Amino acid sequence: RMNTLALVGEAEADYAALRRDAAPDDVLPELLLLSRLEELGARSAMAAPLAAAQEKRPRDPRILEALSRFEQLLRTADPGGARQP
């Protein structure tokens, strides 16, 4: 079984592939990465994709609502947890 850091690395690689094919304002790759990081318990790695999604859609209430949940998780992140992306 893979360790968490390896799984985070896989999730980041999948994100990079999705990001390459996505429209510039598409936040689905970030949302998928955030969901995967949450599943892995890698909350401390959520800062970068969260900021990227917020930057792409700063006024979209649906996106902001979804991101608010991840913001709450990030605030409770264990600073000794998984590495930052």
Side-chain angles (χ1 to χ4, degrees):
R1 184 175 156 108
M2 297 180 78
N3 69 34
T4 300
L5 286 178
L7 292 171
V8 168
E10 270 188 11
E12 290 170 344
D14 291 344
Y15 163 75
L18 288 170
R19 183 76 264 150
R20 276 192 301 276
D21 296 334
D25 67 341
D26 186 356
V27 295
L28 184 58
E30 285 78 15
L31 292 174
L32 292 172
L33 178 57
L34 287 165
S35 294
R36 185 69 180 127
L37 293 172
E38 179 187 3
E39 289 174 4
L40 295 171
R43 292 178 179 176
S44 61
M46 292 178 160
L50 182 60
Q54 289 169 326
E55 185 177 307
K56 289 175 186 162
R57 300 296 251 324
R59 293 183 185 91
D60 185 328
R62 295 169 300 164
I63 297 301
L64 293 175
E65 183 179 332
L67 294 177
S68 70
R69 178 171 176 267
F70 292 111
E71 285 178 319
Q72 291 171 350
L73 290 171
L74 183 58
R75 283 194 294 270
T76 63
D78 175 9
R83 67 178 171 80
Q84 294 288 331

